[in-house]
Amino acid sequence: MSTITLDDLREAMERCGVEDQVTLDETTINAELEDRGYDSLARLEIFAQLGRTTGVRIPDEAIHDLRTPQEIINYLYGRLPKAS
Amino acid sequence: MSAVVTGLGIVAPNGVGVDEYWRNTLAGVSGIGPISRFDGSAYPTSLAGEVTGFEPLAHLPRRLVVQTDRWTQFALVAAETALSDASALPLDETGLGEYDMAVVTASSSGGNEFGQGELGRLWRLGPDHVTTFQSIAWFYAATTGQLSIRHGMRGPCGVVVSEQAGGLDAIGQALRVIRDGTKLALTGGTEAPLSPYALVCLQTSKLLSTATDPTRAYVPFDIDAAGFVPGEGGAILVVEDEDSARARPGVFLYGRVVGYAATFDPPPGSGRPPALRRAAELALARAGCEPGDIDVVFADAAGVPEADRAEAEAIAGLFGEHGVPVTAPKTMTGRLFAGGGSLDAATALLALRDGVIPPTAGVDPAAAYRLDLVVGTPREAPLRTALVLARGFGGFNSALVLQAM
C-alpha cells in the first residue's frame, strides 16, 4: 500500500488499548503520545502496526523523534513507495 | 515482629470472590468440568477446573487487558479485592511509603495463552506480526511487575518459580521481607494453564487424570486415585507487619503467618525418604508448635497413588494414625499449580476465621492411608492453628503454619 490514512493511525493506536476511542483532530494530532498514556512499548507497537500497513519500517530509534501522531505521519509520507 | 494476613482475593473455578468461593467450598460445589475454552475432547485430559464468569474488562482498564495474560489478570483482580478487603485502598491514605510495600508472587508457567497466540502469529505471519506486548506478557515476573506498577509498590519484589509449591513459597518469601522491615506485601499466586499449548506441556508429567467423569477424576487418598485435574485461578493475600496493620482503622486480621519451611526431595534411587515430612517439622519448629498444636492439615493431595502414600505416611508419621483432621478442598478446583498453595492458605484462614473445616469432595478415603480425612460435609471445630502442605513436580516440598488471632 502506498498511502497512510488517519484511520490507519487511529486503528494502530486503538489496538494498544490505551484509549477506547482515539480522536485525531487538529489539537490531538500534535499532542505528545506519551502525555496521552502511550508508554514506549505502546509507541513501538504503533510503529510496528503502521510498518505492516504501509510497508515502511520505522526503526525503534525513531521513538526519540516521532513523539506526536503528526510526526509519525510526516515520517511515513516521506518514505512511502511512489505509485508506479 | 509478627506477620498477619489482612486481606484475601480469590479467583477460583468454584467461585470468584471470597464469599462466593467460600460458600461453594463449604457446600461441596465443584468447579471441575469439561474444558470449554477450546475443544479439549481430542486431548488425553479433557476435564479442568475453569474459571467462568471472569470479565477482566469489568475490573481492569483495557490497556492492561491488552498487555497481559489471563494469569496476570486473575492476579490483578484478586489483588484489588485483597487490598480492599484489607481496608488499604486508596493506598496513599494508608501512610505507607512506596518502599514499605512489596510484591512477591509465584508462577509456574507464565503467560501461556498470550504466548501461544503470539507464537501462532510468528509461525503463520512472521516476526513483524508479533505484538511488542509479548515481551512483557509471557514471562514469569510479569504478574509481580504489573502489580508493582499498578499499586506503586517498590519494596523488595520478586517471583518464585517452584511449580506447585510456589503458592506457599511466595508467602514464605513475603514473611521474610516483612521480617526484614517491609510493612506490607502482596503475595500468593495465580495460574492460567488451560491453553492447548500449556495443557500439552503439563501432560508430559504423566500425572494428569484422563478420567471423563468430573466427580471421580481427581480423588486423592481414594483407592481409585489416578492423577489430577488441572485448574486455573488462585489467591492473592495481603501480608503485613502486625503493628503497622493494627494502626489502620477498619482492618480485620485473619491470622498470623507463624512458620514456613521448604525442602527438596533426594534424587530417585537414593534410598532416602521424601522430604515433605521434614518441611512440615521445620515449619512447626519455626512456628514454635508441637504436632499436637495443629488443628487441621490442608494436604497437598496429589491424587497420584505413590505421592498420596508418601504424604499420608508423612502426616500419619508426624501426627499419629487418624491423629489430625486432614482436608483437600482443591478436589473442587483441580490443581492450580502456582495458584494452589496460596488458595489453600486463603482457605485455611477462612477455616480459622469461621471454625469450620471445608470438606474433601468426591473422595472415599482408602483405609490404608490412616488419615482422618474430612469428607462429604464441613466439620465444625475450634480451630487455632493450621498446617498447609504443597509439593511441586521435581521434588519441591513446602509447609506453612497459620494461626488464628
Side-chain angles (χ1 to χ4, degrees):
Chain A
M1 192 188 290
S2 59
T3 187
I4 166 83
T5 67
L6 278 184
D7 281 341
D8 295 331
L9 180 55
R10 188 180 295 117
E11 199 175 302
M13 289 170 70
E14 281 181 354
R15 280 206 206 157
C16 297
V18 175
E19 301 169 280
D20 286 336
Q21 287 245 297
V22 171
T23 57
L24 289 172
D25 57 26
E26 283 173 34
T27 310
T28 55
I29 203 165
N30 288 305
E32 295 220 359
L33 287 165
E34 188 162 9
D35 296 340
R36 289 173 80 164
Y38 295 84
D39 60 18
S40 56
L41 209 54
R43 279 157 27 229
L44 288 176
E45 178 66 15
I46 295 172
F47 288 5
Q49 289 186 38
L50 290 176
R52 289 204 299 273
T53 314
T54 62
V56 178
R57 189 175 193 88
I58 311 177
D60 292 353
E61 298 72 43
I63 197 156
H64 303 297
D65 303 319
L66 308 183
R67 308 184 67 85
T68 68
Q70 185 68 61
E71 285 167 2
I72 295 174
I73 286 181
N74 292 349
Y75 179 93
L76 288 170
Y77 257 125
R79 288 163 181 80
L80 288 170
K82 299 280 180 278
S84 55
Chain B
M1 206 296 312
S2 152
V4 293
V5 178
T6 55
L8 304 177
I10 291 173
V11 177
N14 60 343
V16 177
V18 170
D19 293 342
E20 187 187 43
Y21 164 78
W22 186 228
R23 198 167 54 240
N24 283 339
T25 297
L26 290 176
V29 175
S30 173
I32 292 174
I35 291 173
S36 70
R37 288 179 69 75
F38 58 93
D39 179 7
S41 61
Y43 294 78
T45 295
S46 60
L47 298 174
E50 284 184 322
V51 172
T52 52
F54 177 78
E55 299 289 347
L57 284 171
H59 307 279
L60 303 171
R62 197 161 72 92
R63 123 192 241 144
L64 263 181
V65 177
V66 168
Q67 299 186 3
T68 53
D69 181 81
R70 183 169 169 86
W71 132 82
T72 299
Q73 294 162 14
F74 287 157
L76 284 164
V77 171
E80 196 97 20
T81 315
L83 286 167
S84 170
D85 189 29
S87 300
L89 293 179
L91 272 176
D92 53 12
E93 289 176 14
T94 61
L96 295 166
E98 55 187 3
Y99 293 97
D100 292 331
M101 301 184 285
V103 183
V104 183
T105 67
S107 176
S108 139
S109 53
N112 277 301
E113 194 171 52
F114 196 105
Q116 176 169 2
E118 297 307 314
L119 285 171
R121 267 187 277 284
L122 174 66
W123 175 252
R124 288 194 312 277
L125 303 166
D128 287 346
H129 292 261
V130 177
T131 172
T132 52
F133 302 131
Q134 163 78 352
S135 64
I136 58 164
W138 71 273
F139 71 130
Y140 294 106
T143 293
T144 286
Q146 293 288 4
L147 287 171
S148 165
I149 293 167
R150 184 158 168 80
H151 297 295
M153 298 176 167
R154 294 172 178 257
C157 292
V159 59
V160 181
V161 181
S162 46
E163 225 265 332
Q164 302 189 40
L168 292 190
D169 292 335
I171 299 171
Q173 174 63 11
L175 179 60
R176 283 192 200 104
V177 304
I178 296 289
R179 284 180 173 162
D180 286 345
T182 299
K183 300 296 184 202
L184 180 150
L186 267 184
T187 188
T190 55
E191 198 86 35
L194 299 179
S195 73
Y197 158 58
L199 188 61
V200 168
C201 292
L202 294 175
Q203 279 165 347
T204 62
S205 74
K206 302 194 191 308
L207 300 176
L208 269 59
S209 168
T210 56
T212 52
D213 174 2
T215 66
R216 292 292 295 165
Y218 172 39
V219 284
F221 307 117
D222 187 298
I223 200 161
D224 291 334
F228 68 85
V229 171
E232 61 177 356
I236 298 291
L237 293 76
V238 178
V239 179
E240 297 189 68
D241 171 79
E242 182 171 345
D243 293 338
S244 172
R246 282 188 186 278
R248 199 166 58 248
V251 71
F252 172 74
L253 308 184
Y254 282 91
R256 290 193 183 89
V257 184
V258 289
Y260 159 78
T263 59
F264 202 75
D265 284 338
S270 72
R272 287 180 283 141
L276 179 65
R277 177 172 172 172
R278 179 89 183 120
E281 287 171 338
L282 280 169
L284 287 178
R286 288 171 185 172
C289 289
E290 299 294 329
D293 297 329
I294 297 297
D295 301 309
V296 60
V297 175
F298 284 72
D300 173 61
V304 175
E306 187 185 343
D308 285 350
R309 195 174 310 121
E311 183 170 33
E313 279 173 14
I315 293 172
L318 193 51
F319 298 97
E321 298 187 10
H322 307 97
V324 66
V326 176
T327 191
K330 55 167 71 84
T331 43
M332 290 173 261
T333 63
R335 293 180 69 87
L336 309 185
F337 302 88
S342 51
L343 182 58
D344 274 345
T347 310
L349 288 159
L350 292 167
L352 294 178
R353 182 193 69 180
D354 293 351
V356 60
I357 302 170
T360 307
V363 170
D364 181 13
Y369 291 139
R370 300 165 297 157
L371 296 179
D372 175 15
L373 199 65
V374 177
V375 291
T377 52
R379 187 187 297 178
E380 292 189 14
L383 302 177
R384 173 151 174 77
T385 312
L387 172 68
V388 186
L389 301 175
R391 288 176 294 186
F393 184 65
F396 299 100
N397 305 283
S398 296
L400 187 73
V401 182
L402 300 165
Q403 204 155 61
M405 300 303 298

